[in-house]
């Protein structure tokens, strides 16, 4: 009996052990070493159980999911005993080289908790994904949704064009944009490229083995206005992920990278006729004819074309003789801003009026610009301009007829002919010689001639001093641009208003101190205006320019537009009163 009991106990214990050995729970991968972007298959299998609580998803250790989880289940019945086997499969990849550890997965079987062993995956650098450092860093922050700012170049001259592209990468099926914060720009002149609505590319783009839908959100043409390290601040965006009929979606907030540009100062040796044009330019000068009559108008057109910072080019100064009268030119722009930059033409139409006949050789006009491709200044030169001004048509004088003298009958003694022929009347004892009129007649003409000579000489000096003309005309040009701002204010055109105010402030300072627009920056303003009003005027000027730039490229305005206009007009008037010439 004792031996029988021991045999039965041994059989039961063996059955339990065999049953325990039948339950399997393990995690396996098809390989433990991959390159970035290559897939690895992870399988977690649970076998030979009658009942179990769900398998948990392990910590993937930073690996990205390409596909999965995919589940499979099987059932079996042996001698009335039901058992079940199930498995989950993922396809994973790594976007960066390194060592990744897949954590354990757990499952509850009866009262016991089973656990898989961790798995180590070694990832080496792949053959190359073509992605940039900014894309790689953004992908590290969020592998499913990220935005990048990429620049056409990271080093440029002051005044040279740079293309900034804002790109969205998404692995979600559906996205609904919410609000966004525009990147802050300081030290740039920016022009928006009209892209319309953000459209997704037709094909997927692969980044480190992961496929993304890609859309270009925004493009800008950036022109550095000062040298040094300039930063394009990050752009922040808010989205709802996978919104649907039964769900409003999951809110996701992402932030792009920031980009830094090294702006290099233009080399020394700037030509005298250089006023800040940077790029590739051509110049064309034309006039209907060179033979005109005095007091007839001449149309002179100067056209600059090419790929350059055309919107920053001011009207060239004409070295005209004093016998020519001219007016501010009319500016006609045919400028396009697209993904390749700013290009087109800017045309200046002058109206000249010669006042005296003669032959005038105005010589050739020169205009210098900086070519960033060659890193040198280049000069454009027109053909020699020659005018033959002939005498104007004499004013047609109307003939004045004299009425015939008719006989007048004498009526008594009160009506007589009026004596008109030989009147030589003078006061008795008065003589012209030695009188005040005689002395004035002898002194005044030479004095007037001397004054005319001095005025003519001073005018020639002023005309030859292009920088002086520019300084003296700074207030006039600024008032014209402020008038444009006033017009935009009345039309409630916000962008045109801040654009006109910004150009008025920057253009006035550049003209007043004979600088290029690209040289107008905070340091230069403090240098030139630091002695005015103990530096308060300089700081106020800097704040106005900064506020104008911020209001132009962001939806935020620090103060009402009317107040901005009044402050800009007031500070220009104040500087003009304190700094003459």
């Amino acid at each position: 009996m004792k031996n029988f009991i021991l045999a039965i106990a041994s059989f039961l214990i063996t059955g339990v052990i065999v049953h325990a050995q039948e339950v399997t729970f393990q995690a396996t991968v098809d390989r433990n070493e991959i390159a970035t972007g290559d897939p690895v298959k992870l399988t977690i299998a649970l076998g030979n159980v009658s009942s179990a609580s769900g398998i948990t998803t392990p910590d993937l250790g930073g690996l990205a999911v390409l596909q999965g989880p995919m589940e499979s289940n099987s059932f079996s019945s042996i001698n009335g005993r039901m058992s079940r086997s199930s498995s989950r499969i993922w396809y994973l990849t790594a976007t960066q080289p390194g060592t990744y550890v897949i954590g354990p997965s757990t499952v509850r079987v009866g009262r016991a908790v089973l656990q898989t062993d961790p798995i180590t995956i070694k990832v080496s650098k792949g053959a190359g994904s073509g992605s940039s450092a900014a894309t790689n860093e953004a992908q590290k922050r969020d592998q499913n949704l990220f935005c990048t700012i990429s620049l056409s170049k990271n080093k440029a001259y002051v005044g040279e064009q740079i293309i900034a592209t804002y790109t969205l990468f998404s692995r979600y099926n559906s996205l609904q944009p919410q609000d966004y914060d525009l990147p802050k720009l300081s030290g740039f002149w920016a022009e928006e490229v009209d892209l319309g609505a953000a459209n997704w590319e037709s094909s997927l783009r692969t980044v480190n083995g992961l496929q993304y839908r890609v859309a270009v959100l925004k493009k800008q043409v950036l022109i550095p206005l000062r040298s040094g390290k300039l930063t394009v601040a990050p752009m922040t965006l808010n989205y709802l992920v996978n919104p649907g009929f039964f769900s409003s979606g999951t809110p996701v907030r992402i932030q792009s990278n920031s980009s830094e540009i090294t702006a290099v100062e233009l080399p020394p040796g700037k030509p005298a006729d250089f006023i800040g044009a940077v790029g590739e330019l051509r110049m064309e000068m034309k006039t209907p004819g060179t033979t005109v009559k005095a007091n007839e108008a001449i149309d002179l057109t100067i056209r600059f074309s090419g790929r350059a910072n055309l919107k920053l080019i001011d009207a060239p100064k004409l070295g005209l003789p004093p016998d020519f009268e001219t007016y501010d030119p009319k500016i006609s722009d045919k400028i396009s801003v697209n993904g390749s930059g700013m290009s087109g033409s800017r045309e200046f139409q002058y109206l000249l009026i010669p006042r005296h006949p003669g032959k005038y050789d105005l010589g050739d006009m020169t205009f210098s610009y900086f070519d960033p491709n060659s890193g040198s200044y280049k000069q454009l030169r027109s053909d020699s301009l020659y005018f033959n001004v002939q005498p104007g048509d004499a004013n047609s004088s109307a003939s004045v007829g004299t009425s015939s003298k008719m006989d007048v009958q004498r009526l008594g003694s009160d009506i007589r002919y009026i004596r008109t022929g030989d009147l030589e009347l003078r006061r008795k004892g008065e003589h012209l010689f030695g009188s005040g009129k005689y002395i004035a007649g002898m002194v005044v003409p030479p004095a007037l001639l001397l004054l005319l000579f001095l005025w003519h000489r001073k005018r020639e000096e002023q005309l030859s001093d292009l920088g002086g003309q520019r300084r003296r005309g700074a207030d006039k040009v600024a008032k014209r641009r402020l008038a444009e701002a006033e017009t935009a204010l009345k039309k409630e055109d916000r962008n045109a208003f801040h654009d006109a105010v910004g150009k008025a402030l920057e253009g006035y300072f550049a003209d007043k101190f004979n600088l290029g627009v690209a040289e107008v920056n905070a340091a230069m303003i403090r240098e030139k205006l630091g002695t005015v009003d103990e530096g308060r005027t300089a700081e106020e000027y800097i704040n106005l320019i900064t506020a104008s730039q911020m209001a132009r490229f962001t939806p935020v305005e620090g103060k009402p537009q009317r107040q901005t206009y009044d402050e800009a007009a007031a500070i220009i008037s104040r500087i003009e009163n304190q700094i003459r010439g």
Side-chain angles (χ1 to χ4, degrees), residues 68-79:
M70 297 171 287
E71 296 191 13
S72 65
N73 296 284
S74 63
F75 297 88
S76 64
S77 177
I78 301 175
N79 296 325

Side-chain angles (χ1 to χ4, degrees), residues 134-197:
T135 304
N136 293 335
E137 289 299 320
Q139 190 183 49
K140 286 181 182 179
R141 292 192 294 270
D142 189 337
Q143 294 179 341
N144 296 316
L145 182 66
F146 58 89
C147 179
T148 63
I149 300 177
S150 59
L151 304 174
S152 60
K153 56 180 66 179
N154 296 101
K155 185 176 181 180
Y157 289 100
V158 173
E160 185 180 359
Q161 300 184 61
I162 301 169
I163 310 300
T165 305
Y166 302 76
T167 309
L168 181 68
F169 296 78
S170 173
R171 298 182 67 207
Y172 294 110
N173 294 326
S174 177
L175 280 179
Q176 182 176 320
Q178 300 296 297
D179 58 344
Y180 58 89
D181 295 331
L182 288 170
K184 295 179 175 60
L185 300 172
S186 178
F188 292 100
W189 177 284
E191 291 288 339
E192 299 292 324
V193 177
D194 186 9
L195 300 176

Side-chain angles (χ1 to χ4, degrees), residues 83-334:
S83 65
R84 179 171 62 93
S85 297
S86 61
S87 63
R88 289 185 180 179
I89 299 174
W90 289 265
Y91 286 93
L92 310 175
T93 190
T95 59
Q96 300 293 327
T99 300
Y100 298 81
V101 178
I102 301 175
S105 174
T106 61
V107 66
R108 180 177 291 276
V109 179
R111 294 184 179 180
V113 176
L114 304 182
Q115 178 176 291
T116 63
D117 295 329
I119 299 175
T120 300
I121 305 294
K122 293 183 178 180
V123 182
S124 60
K125 187 175 182 182
S129 62
S131 59
S132 64
T135 304
N136 293 335
E137 289 299 320
Q139 190 183 49
K140 286 181 182 179
R141 292 192 294 270
D142 189 337
Q143 294 179 341
N144 296 316
L145 182 66
F146 58 89
C147 179
T148 63
I149 300 177
S150 59
L151 304 174
S152 60
K153 56 180 66 179
N154 296 101
K155 185 176 181 180
Y157 289 100
V158 173
E160 185 180 359
Q161 300 184 61
I162 301 169
I163 310 300
T165 305
Y166 302 76
T167 309
L168 181 68
F169 296 78
S170 173
R171 298 182 67 207
Y172 294 110
N173 294 326
S174 177
L175 280 179
Q176 182 176 320
Q178 300 296 297
D179 58 344
Y180 58 89
D181 295 331
L182 288 170
K184 295 179 175 60
L185 300 172
S186 178
F188 292 100
W189 177 284
E191 291 288 339
E192 299 292 324
V193 177
D194 186 9
L195 300 176
N199 295 319
W200 296 98
E201 294 181 359
S202 58
S203 60
L204 298 177
R205 192 184 302 182
T206 301
V207 180
N208 296 320
L210 299 181
Q211 290 187 329
Y212 294 89
R213 293 191 305 139
V214 179
V216 176
L217 301 177
K218 180 185 181 73
K219 274 193 176 184
Q220 288 178 310
V221 177
L222 304 179
I223 300 176
L225 299 178
R226 56 180 172 84
S227 59
K229 298 288 186 181
L230 304 179
T231 301
V232 180
M235 183 180 187
T236 303
L237 306 102
N238 293 294
Y239 285 94
L240 289 178
V241 173
N242 294 332
F245 184 79
F246 298 102
S247 172
S248 60
T250 304
V252 175
R253 182 180 179 88
I254 60 173
Q255 188 177 64
S256 73
N257 60 297
S258 61
S259 292
E260 191 174 78
I261 297 171
T262 301
V264 182
E265 188 63 61
L266 297 180
K270 297 178 182 177
D273 55 356
F274 176 76
I275 55 176
V278 177
E280 300 172 3
L281 282 174
R282 298 179 298 276
M283 181 178 69
E284 180 183 1
M285 179 184 291
K286 59 183 179 180
T287 182
T290 57
T291 301
V292 295
K293 294 182 179 181
N295 297 318
E296 286 185 353
I298 302 172
D299 290 323
L300 177 64
T301 301
I302 301 176
R303 183 173 180 266
F304 297 99
S305 60
R307 184 180 182 275
N309 53 353
L310 292 168
K311 291 190 177 182
L312 301 182
I313 296 179
D314 288 330
K317 304 299 181 182
L318 302 178
L320 297 175
D323 301 89
F324 279 69
E325 185 176 345
T326 184
Y327 301 90
D328 290 336
K330 175 185 175 183
I331 301 176
S332 299
D333 286 339
K334 293 182 180 178

